[in-house]
Amino acid sequence: MTIAARAGLHARPAALLVQAAARQPGAVRIGRPGQRQVDAKSILSVLSLAIACGEEVLVETDGPSADEALTELLGMLKVDPDGH
């Protein structure tokens, strides 16, 4: 998945992602392919990745409704929440 937010995953886009991940009943992890994955329900963990616009990320979900959660989260990452 390629990050569409012009600012990357910092501040507002990261907060929106973390809020959506927190609504999921199972585990949600995010990170760069081939690198460590972090808890997507933790704003500090997501911000620590310093993911920029255009970078590739891997999102993993576990638990009940994992497929639906993954669809929602990937849909969020495909758009720039600031409309740029």
Side-chain angles (χ1 to χ4, degrees), residues 1-19:
M1 159 88 324
T2 303
I3 298 298
R6 195 167 164 188
L9 270 187
H10 88 73
R12 185 169 129 78
L16 293 172
L17 176 71
V18 168
Q19 289 170 0

Side-chain angles (χ1 to χ4, degrees), residues 46-83:
V46 172
L47 291 173
S48 75
L49 295 172
I51 295 174
C53 178
E55 279 196 79
E56 293 290 322
V57 295
L58 177 65
V59 179
E60 299 175 347
T61 56
D62 290 327
S65 306
D67 291 338
E68 292 85 0
L70 186 59
T71 299
E72 177 186 355
L73 296 167
L74 292 179
M76 292 182 70
L77 296 173
K78 288 181 185 179
V79 297
D80 185 344
D82 295 322

Side-chain angles (χ1 to χ4, degrees), residues 20-42:
R23 289 192 297 270
Q24 307 307 322
V28 181
R29 291 171 301 284
I30 187 169
R32 291 176 181 87
Q35 295 185 12
R36 71 180 176 97
Q37 306 292 302
V38 301
D39 181 0
K41 296 180 181 185
S42 165

